[in-house]
């Protein structure tokens, strides 16, 4: 009997290990070091050995009509006229991706990630938007753009010696799993019940990715699965367009006649099979299950079933990944919100409206604010208690006894806190990661997720619950555990669906039946999404391409003095460079294209995530939601961001806030432009007048400041660092009273 020791996972999270590991597997291997710290020599590692990482890439939106130095406004969409569109893409605009950006991205992946990852999750939207009447989208164009992206994957991950191999799914060195995006079809968003022309077309386009046994289910509805680590881990590619509230061709997941119902039933059966095989699962799709107090992206019936499935198979599901929204964030699903089959809530009417199918800057801001409002209602950890205590140490979970054996306030509060989040492992919730995009609505972004490979090369052993002894597993929320069953054959369970229209007309609502998934055994340990173990996600590294520096186009403003400092655009974002003219007629790129580390959750001092388990994210969400943050999370007076306190905070290198990080040649050219101005005095006078006007406006305008640096950082990262500090304060801060040079929060 040996104690299992895993790097970056606190020892107190484990109690007794019920199986022995060879000495070489007691620690995570060198392959599990942060990706950017691995020397290039490791590229020679045999591909059969697990690296403990996978790539998430999403929303490429390739545009063959993109023209550099074209106009970025809605009328021209980076296709026509003279303007500020950069050679590698027009960052902070609603323009799509030039072919050069896609080529350079895959070149960088080939040189930096190809031999350091185990599989690729590609969450859709590879075709351009339908944003220009002069170049309308066609079915042939949409399919061709997806074929082009497939060819890039073949270039990077294809087997060089794959000659005369009749099996198309054996063409890659690692598995690649695609999924439908809402712009990968025509018209966008509208995906009818299958089999249809799109499932048949993409069955051919993605034939290299879809295993032969899965081809039937894909042709029927566009969903399939891939066993990415044999006998250990399966990735489920969900067709979220059947859940998408903007898809008017279908109607949710309540009725058996709907493809959403069929897909959920298929997923239930597959997850049950994995449980019997002692395997784990990752769920992936394009449109995330975003849901706030006023809006949601999925039909409510689909969200209800999905969240119930996440609860019932929490011992099987490692995590879930989505794209579509272009902003970096995460979602929590609260099992207490599941009302399926709860007769007390049968008359409840869903008051949420459909979320915009494409988020604008304004709608994204409102959405983030609503997430924060929801998270502000999360229970607070014990005051004065350390994170260790809240994680399940004796003082917080074993009756709360102090040194003298008396039950104190800290212990009582600790027990209450754990009860309210679903026990030590926060089993009241599930979590979804939403990745930012390649298309440069902000900066192009990639994400590499690291997972625990310890013990995966061993034969499966009996993982008894003694490994988690002493941990609090409180009563779960929702209705699921009321229907626990040990049998695979489950009775039909009734769930009523009612909409506001039928309620107004006094119509009797219909009862829809579905199979209730079986919950995990009460003696089984929590899954890898909740407690550190094999396949648990340890952290991720976020990469971004700083197109402002790479394009190297903008040094001076245009002669008409146009600036992009007006109100945020309601629908189309022209970008921060709109109204400026490139300094050269032809682009002269002085900085080579590359992705840089934006932040790494394993070393990040702001989020302070021990790992990517649900409990870690519940705690992070609670900190983001604090309108009166704890002392350590307060932005100190006089400091606009946390970057001045934390030198490792990557957004200081974005190149959008300070000229200090621009290349020396750009700085020198700026100096030349300013000193050679013939009308410098006139320009100074005009500038002074503008400043005076701005000061008068600012006096009338209520000043706002964010005081929670975790919330500030969350917003900053959501937009990949493209928003100015002051812009974030004004848009996402709280009203303040100005007193000379200082400020105080209005509480």
């Amino acid at each position: 009997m040996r104690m299992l020791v895993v790097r970056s996972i606190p020892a107190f999270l484990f109690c007794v290990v019920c199986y022995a590991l060879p000495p070489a597997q007691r620690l995570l291997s060198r392959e599990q070091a942060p990706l950017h710290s691995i020397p290039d020599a490791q590229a020679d590692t045999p591909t059969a050995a697990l690296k403990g990482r996978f790539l998430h890439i999403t929303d490429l939106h390739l545009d063959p009509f993109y023209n550099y130095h074209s106009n970025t406004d809605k009328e021209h969409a980076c296709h026509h006229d003279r303007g500020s569109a950069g050679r590698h893409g027009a960052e902070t605009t609603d323009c799509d991706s030039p072919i050069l950006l896609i080529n350079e991205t895959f070149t960088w992946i080939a040189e930096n990630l190809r031999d350091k990852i185990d599989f690729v999750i590609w969450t859709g939207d590879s075709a351009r938007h339908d944003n220009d009447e002069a170049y309308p989208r066609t079915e042939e164009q949409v399919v061709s753009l997806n074929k082009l992206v497939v060819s890039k994957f073949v270039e990077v991950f294809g087997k060089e010696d794959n000659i005369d191999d009749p099996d198309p799914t054996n063409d890659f060195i690692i598995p690649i799993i695609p999924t439908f995006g809402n712009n990968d079809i025509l018209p966008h968003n509208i995906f009818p019940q299958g089999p249809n022309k799109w499932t048949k077309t993409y069955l051919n386009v993605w034939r290299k990715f879809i295993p032969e046994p899965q081809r039937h289910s894909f042709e029927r509805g566009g969903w399939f699965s891939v066993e990415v680590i044999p006998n250990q881990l399966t990735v489920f590619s969900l067709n979220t367009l059947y859940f998408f509230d903007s898809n008017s061709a279908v109607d949710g997941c309540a009725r058996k006649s709907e493809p959403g119902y069929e897909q959920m039933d298929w997923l239930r059966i597959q997850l049950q099979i994995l449980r019997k095989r002692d395997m784990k699962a990752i769920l992936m799709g394009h449109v995330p299950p975003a849901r706030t107090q006023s809006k949601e992206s999925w039909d409510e019936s689909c969200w209800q079933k999905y969240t119930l499935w996440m609860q019932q198979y929490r011992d099987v599901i490692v995590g879930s990944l989505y794209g579509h929204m272009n902003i970096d964030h995460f979602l929590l699903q609260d099992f207490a919100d599941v009302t399926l089959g709860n007769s007390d809530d049968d008359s409840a009417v869903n008051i949420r409206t459909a979320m915009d199918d494409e988020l604008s800057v304004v709608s994204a801001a409102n959405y983030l604010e609503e997430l924060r409002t929801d998270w502000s209602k999360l229970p607070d950890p014990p005051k004065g208690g350390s994170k260790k205590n809240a994680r399940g140490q004796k003082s917080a979970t074993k009756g709360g006894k102090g040194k003298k054996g008396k039950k104190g306030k800290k212990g009582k509060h600790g027990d209450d806190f754990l009860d309210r989040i679903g026990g030590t492992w926060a089993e009241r919730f599930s979590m979804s990661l939403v990745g930012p995009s390649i298309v440069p609505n902000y900066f192009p972004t990639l994400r590499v997720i690291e997972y625990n490979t310890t013990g995966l090369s061993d034969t499966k052993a009996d993982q008894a619950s003694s490994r988690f002894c002493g941990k609090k597993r409180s009563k779960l929320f929702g209705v699921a555990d009321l229907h626990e069953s040990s049998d695979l054959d489950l009775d039909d369970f009734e769930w009523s669906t009612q909409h506001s229209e039928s309620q107004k007309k006094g119509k009797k609502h219909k009862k829809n039946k579905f199979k209730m998934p079986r919950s995990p055994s009460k003696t089984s340990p929590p899954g890898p999404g909740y407690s550190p173990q094999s396949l648990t996600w340890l952290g991720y590294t976020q990469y971004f391409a700083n197109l402002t520096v790479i394009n190297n186009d903008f040094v001076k403003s245009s002669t008409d003095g146009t600036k992009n400092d007006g109100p945020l655009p309601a629908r189309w974002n022209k970008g921060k460079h709109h109204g400026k003219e490139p300094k050269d007629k032809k682009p002269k790129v002085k900085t080579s294209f590359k992705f840089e580390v934006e932040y790494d959750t394993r070393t990040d001092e702001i989020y302070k995530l021990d790992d990517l388990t649900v409990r870690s994210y519940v705690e992070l969400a609670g900190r983001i939601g604090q309108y009166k943050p704890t002392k350590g999370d307060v932005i100190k007076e006089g400091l606009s961001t946390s970057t001045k306190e934390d030198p490792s905070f990557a957004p200081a290198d974005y190149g959008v806030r300070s000229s200090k990080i621009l290349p020396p040649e750009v700085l020198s050219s700026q100096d030349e432009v300013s000193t050679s101005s013939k009308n410098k005095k006139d320009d100074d006078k005009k500038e002074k007048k503008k400043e005076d006007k701005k000061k008068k406006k600012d006096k009338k305008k209520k000043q706002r400041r964010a005081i929670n640096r975790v919330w500030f950082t969350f917003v900053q990262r959501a937009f990949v660092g493209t928003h100015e500090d002051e812009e974030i304060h004004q848009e996402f801060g709280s009203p303040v009273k100005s007193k000379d040079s200082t400020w105080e929060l209005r509480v």
Side-chain angles (χ1 to χ4, degrees):
M1 187 76 65
R2 293 170 178 158
M3 179 65 70
L4 178 65
V5 181
V6 182
R7 194 182 67 184
S8 297
I9 300 175
F12 66 84
L13 291 179
F14 295 97
C15 187
V16 178
V17 179
C18 52
Y19 60 93
L21 289 175
Q25 292 179 350
R26 291 183 209 167
L27 296 174
L28 297 182
S29 68
R30 185 163 171 262
E31 290 286 348
Q32 290 283 111
L35 184 61
H36 47 280
S37 68
I38 299 176
D40 292 337
Q42 287 196 20
D44 296 328
T45 303
T47 56
L50 291 175
K51 316 301 189 306
R53 297 176 199 86
F54 63 89
L55 170 65
H56 180 202
I57 185 170
T58 191
D59 292 82
L60 284 75
H61 287 294
L62 177 57
D63 186 355
F65 305 108
Y66 183 97
N67 277 315
Y68 66 82
H69 292 179
S70 59
N71 199 320
T72 61
D73 65 18
K74 185 176 182 179
E75 182 182 354
H76 299 97
C78 292
H79 295 160
H80 323 279
D81 201 23
R82 176 76 175 171
S84 58
R87 184 167 180 257
H88 289 87
E91 73 274 26
T92 72
T93 75
D94 284 342
C95 294
D96 286 326
S97 302
I99 292 177
L100 180 61
L101 173 61
I102 304 305
N103 288 339
E104 294 279 27
T105 294
F106 277 92
T107 297
W108 188 89
I109 291 172
E111 295 173 352
N112 295 275
L113 299 179
R114 180 183 184 272
D115 300 303
K116 299 174 183 177
I117 57 177
D118 298 320
F119 52 94
V120 177
I121 285 181
W122 167 26
T123 50
D125 259 11
S126 297
R128 59 176 279 256
H129 292 93
D130 200 359
N131 54 14
D132 189 348
E133 292 181 357
Y135 298 120
R137 296 202 320 162
T138 64
E139 292 183 7
E140 182 182 5
Q141 179 193 120
V142 168
V143 173
S144 295
L145 292 174
N146 270 276
K147 286 182 177 179
L148 179 56
V149 176
V150 169
S151 72
K152 302 308 294 184
F153 277 111
V154 172
E155 286 178 19
V156 176
F157 297 105
K159 291 182 178 178
E160 295 179 359
D161 57 350
N162 191 46
I163 302 173
D164 299 327
D165 183 356
D167 182 7
T169 62
N170 192 37
D171 291 352
F172 297 96
I173 60 173
I174 59 173
I176 297 165
I177 309 95
T179 194
F180 281 109
N182 62 309
N183 287 286
D184 293 326
I185 55 176
L186 198 71
H188 81 293
N189 299 341
I190 308 303
F191 199 99
Q193 186 166 7
N196 58 49
K197 63 182 176 183
W198 294 111
T199 60
K200 294 176 181 178
T201 298
Y202 279 94
L203 183 62
N204 178 56
V205 174
W206 292 340
R207 66 186 183 280
K208 297 177 183 292
F209 307 129
I210 303 171
E212 183 63 35
Q214 299 290 321
R215 292 174 68 84
H216 174 72
S217 65
F218 182 86
E219 184 175 8
R220 183 167 179 80
W223 55 77
F224 70 104
S225 65
V226 177
E227 203 164 307
V228 293
I229 304 178
N231 301 312
Q232 305 278 359
L233 180 66
T234 292
V235 173
F236 289 95
S237 177
L238 303 178
N239 183 0
T240 56
L241 300 187
Y242 283 145
F243 310 150
F244 195 21
D245 223 4
S246 297
N247 182 8
S248 59
V250 295
D251 188 20
C253 301
R255 292 191 292 270
K256 284 187 177 181
S257 59
E258 290 296 328
Y261 180 103
E262 183 180 349
Q263 182 175 193
M264 282 294 184
D265 208 43
W266 168 83
L267 180 61
R268 175 186 61 81
I269 294 168
Q270 298 304 313
L271 290 173
Q272 187 62 46
I273 291 171
L274 290 193
R275 178 183 280 163
K276 292 196 72 174
R277 293 179 62 192
D278 199 15
M279 288 180 61
K280 306 303 177 185
I282 292 174
L283 308 185
M284 60 168 280
H286 180 65
V287 181
R291 185 178 186 262
T292 65
Q293 288 298 317
S294 66
K295 293 188 176 183
E296 60 186 340
S297 58
W298 285 14
D299 182 274
E300 177 68 8
S301 63
C302 299
W303 187 92
Q304 287 280 331
K305 277 193 174 180
Y306 173 83
T307 304
L308 177 58
W309 271 222
M310 293 292 284
Q311 179 181 11
Q312 298 296 77
Y313 293 108
R314 60 190 182 277
D315 58 325
V316 177
I317 299 170
V318 181
S320 57
L321 299 160
Y322 299 92
H324 178 64
M325 301 184 82
N326 299 333
I327 55 176
D328 172 8
H329 67 297
F330 64 94
L331 302 168
L332 294 178
Q333 293 87 40
D334 187 347
F335 301 152
D337 291 338
V338 175
T339 59
L340 288 175
N342 190 337
S343 58
D344 293 337
D345 291 330
D346 276 352
S347 61
V349 178
N350 180 35
I351 60 172
R352 295 173 182 85
T353 58
M355 199 171 287
D356 294 343
D357 64 336
E358 301 289 345
L359 281 184
S360 66
V361 176
V362 169
S363 59
N366 293 336
Y367 167 68
L368 294 177
E369 288 278 12
E370 287 201 10
L371 285 181
R372 189 191 189 195
T373 300
D374 289 344
W375 294 342
S376 69
K377 301 170 187 174
L378 290 170
D380 296 327
K383 290 184 179 179
S386 67
K387 195 172 183 180
K388 279 189 178 182
N389 286 337
R391 282 279 186 174
Q393 292 290 58
K394 271 191 174 183
S395 61
T397 61
K398 293 289 186 176
K401 293 183 179 181
K403 291 181 180 180
K404 296 183 180 180
K406 293 182 179 180
K407 192 169 183 178
K409 291 182 179 179
K410 182 187 294 186
K412 187 176 181 180
H413 190 179
D415 278 342
D416 180 63
F417 167 71
L418 294 177
D419 284 340
R420 293 176 66 194
I421 67 170
T424 301
W425 312 109
E427 291 177 277
R428 169 180 167 173
F429 302 93
S430 61
M431 186 273 296
S432 302
L433 291 178
V434 184
S437 58
I438 290 294
V439 65
N441 292 153
Y442 308 108
F443 281 135
T445 312
L446 295 168
R447 178 175 290 175
V448 175
I449 297 175
E450 303 178 38
Y451 65 95
N452 190 351
T453 59
T454 305
L456 292 184
S457 59
D458 286 353
T459 303
K460 286 272 185 176
D462 179 26
Q463 300 183 13
S465 58
S466 61
R467 209 179 347 161
F468 306 94
C469 64
K471 302 305 177 186
K472 188 172 181 65
R473 307 283 298 278
S474 70
K475 177 184 174 182
L476 294 177
F477 291 70
V479 300
D481 281 357
L482 298 177
H483 313 286
E484 183 174 342
S485 170
S486 59
D487 300 322
L488 278 175
D489 296 327
L490 300 169
D491 295 330
D492 283 346
F493 195 75
E494 290 188 344
W495 168 47
S496 66
T497 55
Q498 181 179 3
H499 299 285
S500 56
E501 286 299 317
S502 61
Q503 188 183 44
K504 288 176 183 177
K505 296 176 181 178
K507 292 181 180 179
K508 187 176 180 180
H509 53 274
K510 182 181 178 182
K511 293 278 186 179
N512 292 292
K513 294 183 178 182
F514 68 96
K515 293 282 187 180
M516 170 63 72
R518 187 180 67 178
S519 64
S521 167
K522 290 182 178 179
T523 60
S524 67
Y530 292 86
S531 66
Q533 56 190 274
S534 297
L535 296 173
T536 292
W537 293 351
L538 302 175
Y540 64 78
T541 306
Q542 189 100 316
Y543 295 92
F544 78 106
N546 190 334
L547 296 190
T548 302
V549 174
I550 294 170
N551 286 331
N552 189 29
D553 272 334
F554 307 105
V555 180
K556 58 182 179 179
S557 297
S558 61
T559 54
D560 64 0
T562 304
K563 295 179 72 176
N564 189 33
D565 58 0
L568 293 174
R571 293 299 300 173
W572 182 271
N573 190 5
K574 301 175 184 177
K576 64 179 182 178
H577 300 308
H578 183 71
K580 299 178 183 178
E581 292 182 1
K583 63 181 184 297
D584 300 308
K585 291 184 178 180
K586 293 184 178 180
K588 294 181 179 179
V589 178
K590 296 182 180 180
T591 303
S592 60
F593 184 91
K594 64 179 179 179
F595 282 88
E596 308 169 57
V597 175
E598 180 190 352
Y599 65 96
D600 184 339
T601 62
R602 299 184 71 176
T603 58
D604 176 39
E605 292 300 321
I606 308 297
Y607 282 2
K608 300 178 182 178
L609 291 170
D610 290 338
D611 47 39
L612 304 186
T613 58
V614 172
R615 174 67 184 272
S616 292
Y617 273 96
V618 169
E619 291 179 356
L620 175 59
R623 292 170 62 212
I624 291 171
Q626 289 285 346
Y627 291 99
K628 293 181 180 179
T630 57
K631 187 176 179 180
D633 289 341
V634 173
I635 298 176
K636 294 179 181 178
E637 188 174 311
L639 294 179
S640 61
T641 74
S642 55
T643 61
K644 297 181 182 179
E645 297 178 86
D646 177 18
S648 68
F649 189 56
D653 297 327
Y654 283 136
V656 297
R657 294 186 182 82
S658 172
S659 62
K660 291 180 181 179
I661 62 87
L662 292 174
E665 58 268 22
V666 176
L667 292 177
S668 61
S669 63
Q670 284 180 320
D671 293 337
E672 290 171 10
V673 171
S674 61
T675 54
S676 62
S677 177
K678 295 180 181 179
N679 302 313
K680 191 172 185 303
K681 290 183 180 180
D682 293 337
D683 291 342
D684 289 344
K685 288 180 181 179
K686 290 179 181 178
E687 195 63 34
K688 192 175 183 306
K689 287 181 180 179
K690 288 180 182 178
E691 288 179 3
D692 291 340
K693 287 182 180 179
K694 191 174 184 301
K695 285 179 181 178
K696 288 180 181 179
K697 287 182 180 179
D698 289 342
K699 285 182 180 179
K700 295 179 181 179
K701 186 177 171 182
K702 284 185 178 179
Q703 292 298 306
R704 304 176 72 87
R705 284 290 182 273
I707 64 167
N708 184 335
R709 75 169 184 163
V710 188
W711 164 240
F712 188 99
T713 301
F714 176 71
V715 172
Q716 203 172 45
R717 290 175 176 175
F719 300 114
V720 200
T722 56
H723 281 31
E724 300 278 352
D725 287 354
E726 187 60 28
E727 186 180 354
I728 295 176
H729 279 302
Q730 289 299 323
E731 185 68 24
F732 298 95
S734 300
V736 298
K737 282 182 179 179
S738 297
K739 288 188 177 180
D740 299 323
S741 59
T742 63
W743 55 270
E744 61 182 24
L745 179 70
R746 282 184 185 169
V747 180

